Amino acid sequence: MKRRAVYGDRPPAYPSKEELAAELCFSESTVDSHVSRGLLPKPRRIEGSVRWCWAEVEAHLGLDAQQAAAASPFIEALRNAT
């Protein structure tokens, strides 16, 4: 598995499928499945790239910003960094 880039203290505003899957700890095929079942929003095409709006993803998952940060393994890793 490829190592993810570090983006700071929050997920990217418009992640790619790979980035979205990594943020949610899903496989890319699970992202596709969740989109087709309506559990995640449909992606947008931005200048030829397929991207998801992170705010819409949070809304679909029913997370407010504080819950999303608490549920994010990325944020948790930052908190535990020494």
Side-chain angles (χ1 to χ4, degrees):
M1 179 180 218
K2 250 185 345 183
R3 186 176 175 149
R4 258 177 19 138
V6 175
Y7 296 105
D9 63 351
R10 62 182 176 78
Y14 287 89
S16 65
K17 186 191 306 187
E18 179 183 11
E19 293 165 333
L20 179 64
E23 284 296 331
L24 298 174
C25 297
F26 291 167
S27 68
E28 291 183 35
S29 62
T30 300
V31 169
D32 291 335
S33 173
H34 279 41
V35 169
S36 67
R37 293 170 39 204
L39 300 173
L40 287 174
K42 291 184 179 182
R44 302 174 181 205
R45 188 164 294 279
I46 301 173
E47 294 186 17
S49 295
V50 175
R51 301 290 176 151
W52 277 260
C53 174
W54 184 254
E56 291 176 6
V57 170
E58 285 181 335
H60 264 74
L61 296 174
L63 302 175
D64 65 26
Q66 187 176 11
Q67 288 173 316
S72 170
F74 177 71
I75 298 298
E76 189 60 33
L78 287 175
R79 285 189 189 124
N80 294 331
T82 58

